[in-house]
Amino acid sequence: MDFDHLIRAGAEMVRASSRVLVFTGAGLSTESGIADFRSPGGIWSKYDPSEFYFDRFVSDKRAREKYWAMSTEYYGVIRDARPNEAHLAIKTLEDTGKLLAVVTQNIDGLHHKAGNAPDKIIEVHGTVFSVSCLSCGKRHGRDEIQERVKAGEKAPECDGCSGILKTDTISFGQAMPQDKMAMAYQHARSCDLCLALGSSLVVYPAASIPAAAVENGSRLIIVNLEPTPMDDMATLVINDSLSKVLPAMVQLGCSDT
Ligand code: ZN
């Protein structure tokens, strides 16, 4: 199918649906200038991921110092990034009343910046915009902690109990947030269309969410630059730019005609 046919086919599915679950990954944010951590030139080509396992972070102060150095390196880019046309198309889906929820693997807060309601956004891998104490749970704003790191605290500690501070992102080897995953699966069981956008669909357990939607009878549209292991499960696969595909598909699928 050529581009127009693909858009029309996707738009028809959007039109026919009333409960859309959107699942997003790093490819959605690359067009906002945030490099995929896993891509060549991404953060994991500069740092060794094995040094950032959660157990090591907890047990080794030097690992924590490295974590904060790495995290500081990319925080500025994420803080200043703006949502792109594809993020805004997801907001349009919410405005039409079709959006059940956005389940995102991204930690960049761009769905919030695009204006989606906070209760529609499920950040299964957490967010870089807050920091929590691993001992007492006290939450700290990221900018406040960032200032302390810049001022020389290499591995900042909780100002309440001197516990270990960590950004509210899910590290390798760290447990997924059970409440968020449960909510995501609940939506996967009740959606009638799942859009998997910019995800290579290889990182589990997050990638099992679109699979659960299909198992429960939902249609699945995958939009990603590269093929994914779940393409065979999808009703429609479009390997093209999200900021080109999604606004066109949503506009056509939500228009009156
Ligand atoms: Zn504390």
Side-chain angles (χ1 to χ4, degrees):
M1 276 196 274
D2 65 18
F3 184 77
D4 287 344
H5 280 92
L6 289 167
I7 295 298
R8 269 201 292 278
E12 271 318 306
M13 286 184 236
V14 170
R15 185 187 303 284
S17 67
S18 57
R19 300 182 310 280
V20 181
L21 177 62
V22 173
F23 179 83
T24 66
L28 178 64
S29 296
T30 52
E31 292 180 64
S32 288
I34 299 172
D36 183 348
F37 281 21
R38 301 157 61 84
S39 71
I43 210 91
W44 298 135
S45 64
K46 286 193 214 165
Y47 291 91
D48 176 1
S50 72
E51 295 194 87
F52 296 94
Y53 274 80
F54 184 66
D55 286 353
R56 209 150 154 198
F57 178 86
V58 172
S59 63
D60 180 355
K61 184 159 190 241
R62 286 199 45 220
R64 292 198 287 282
E65 291 177 355
K66 217 163 197 183
Y67 172 90
W68 280 101
M70 178 270 288
S71 184
T72 297
E73 186 177 326
Y74 68 71
Y75 175 62
V77 172
I78 293 179
R79 185 196 53 210
D80 298 338
R82 305 302 312 159
N84 63 54
E85 293 299 318
H87 289 101
L88 299 177
I90 297 167
K91 167 69 165 82
T92 302
L93 263 185
E94 181 175 336
D95 294 340
T96 63
K98 285 179 183 283
L99 182 74
L100 209 50
V102 185
V103 174
T104 186
Q105 299 173 283
N106 299 335
I107 56 175
D108 53 37
L110 285 176
H111 292 298
H112 289 91
K113 287 183 185 169
N116 284 109
D119 65 355
K120 292 275 189 194
I121 305 168
I122 303 172
E123 296 170 304
V124 287
H125 290 164
T127 173
V128 296
F129 288 102
S130 60
V131 173
S132 291
C133 172
L134 297 181
S135 299
C136 75
K138 183 179 174 184
R139 263 191 149 192
H140 301 65
R142 177 63 186 265
D143 286 331
E144 170 206 333
I145 300 302
Q146 205 56 44
E147 285 307 309
R148 285 170 49 184
V149 172
K150 275 189 192 153
E153 284 184 59
K154 288 182 174 171
E157 293 176 349
C158 176
D159 54 15
C161 76
S162 301
I164 294 171
L165 290 183
K166 186 181 175 298
T167 64
D168 289 330
T169 53
I170 304 300
S171 293
F172 298 115
Q174 188 174 4
M176 296 288 283
Q178 289 310 310
D179 51 341
K180 290 179 185 173
M181 288 301 285
M183 231 192 305
Y185 282 119
Q186 192 185 322
H187 291 309
R189 283 191 294 271
S190 65
C191 67
D192 57 8
L193 176 64
C194 178
L195 304 178
L197 309 175
S199 173
S200 51
L201 299 173
V202 293
V203 177
Y204 282 84
S208 62
I209 292 160
V214 172
E215 278 158 26
N216 283 281
S218 170
R219 288 165 154 177
L220 171 64
I221 301 177
I222 295 176
V223 187
N224 194 49
L225 284 179
E226 307 290 335
T228 79
M230 288 194 199
D231 286 0
D232 287 348
M233 300 175 80
T235 321
L236 181 69
V237 176
I238 306 180
N239 296 128
D240 209 327
S241 150
L242 266 167
S243 64
K244 198 168 111 192
V245 169
L246 201 63
M249 189 189 288
V250 168
Q251 195 182 21
L252 190 60
C254 298
S255 62
D256 295 331
T257 49

